[in-house]
Every structure is written in structure tokens, then in C-alpha cells.
Amino acid sequence: MPTDLWDKQVALLMRDYPYDSIMAARVLGQGYAYLLTAMAHRGESLGLAPSTLVDIGVQTIILDTVNYAELCNTYNNGHFLHHVPLVEFKNDGSVIKTAHRIAADGWEVDLSLWTDAATCGPCHPGNDSH
């Protein structure tokens, strides 16, 4: 990822949330780890879901649509990974299972960003969405 893109997205998080640069980078990093894991397992119906904090990073990445489309093109074989939020949170343990899947895929997991909703996830599981 280009440094200028990372810096822009960290700055967006700092603009929109009460984060310093360290917290913004943590949230963004976990957002990327989540999205890239979801893309790597597309079609496996794992029911991956981010925590509330990690979802903030995910949404920041997705809202930068030109760069997000390129991310999908590069890491998801040209398939767009849709974001389909649900109104109700699930109580199925999907968030903590997702953190474990991310770790199993070799990403560093900042567990303190995943424990705020350890048994809930707001996203619709599916083959082409998260």
C-alpha cells in the first residue's frame, strides 16, 4: 500500500473520530487485516464479522471507493466485496472467531480492538459480502 494512501486514511480517521495517530493506525490496520482475510476466504461462507472498532477502519477503507475498488481488484480476483450491514447485532461469536481466523492467516491481531463486541457482529455473512 502506498504510504500516501495510508497517511490519508489515518488522517480521515483522526478527522472523524477522537483518535490520535496511533489509535487511528491500529484501527486502520485491523480493518485491512479483516478485509484481506475476508477476500482470501471469499466463497467459504465463514460468517466473518468485524468488531465495532474494527468496522470503523473497514468503513474508512470502503468509503475511499476508488482505492477500495482497486483493493478488491488486486486481492479479490476482481470481485467487489460488498458491505451489507445488518440492523441487529448477532450473538453468535462470529467476531472473536474472525479474530482467530485473521491470526491463523498470519496477520497480527490487536485483540483489544476485537473485545468490545466479542460475541456480536453487525455484518451480513455471505460469499460476496461481509
Side-chain angles (χ1 to χ4, degrees):
M1 167 187 312
T3 303
D4 59 335
L5 175 59
W6 177 267
D7 292 344
K8 174 187 173 185
Q9 291 175 336
V10 166
L12 288 169
L13 281 165
M14 291 170 53
R15 179 195 72 188
D16 295 340
Y17 297 92
Y19 297 159
D20 61 18
S21 61
I22 293 170
M23 182 63 173
R26 290 173 59 205
V27 168
L28 186 63
Q30 293 298 281
Y32 272 107
Y34 168 76
L35 284 172
L36 293 172
T37 299
M39 290 176 187
H41 293 280
R42 188 174 80 80
E44 295 181 26
S45 299
L46 297 179
L48 301 177
S51 69
T52 303
L53 285 171
V54 173
D55 198 42
I56 291 169
V58 169
Q59 291 175 24
T60 298
I61 296 163
I62 290 172
L63 288 174
D64 194 349
T65 60
V66 172
N67 289 303
Y68 180 62
E70 182 59 34
L71 185 78
C72 291
N73 192 42
T74 301
Y75 294 99
N76 205 31
N77 296 319
H79 298 279
F80 195 81
L81 183 67
H82 294 279
H83 182 58
V84 184
L86 298 176
V87 173
E88 299 296 325
F89 286 99
K90 300 176 294 181
N91 278 323
D92 64 358
S94 59
V95 169
I96 202 66
K97 287 190 300 188
T98 298
H100 292 300
R101 175 76 262 164
I102 290 169
D105 278 15
W107 294 98
E108 185 174 330
V109 173
D110 188 342
L111 199 54
S112 66
L113 297 182
W114 291 87
T115 58
D116 71 303
T119 60
C120 301
C123 295
H124 178 273
N127 292 342
D128 194 30
S129 65
H130 64 88

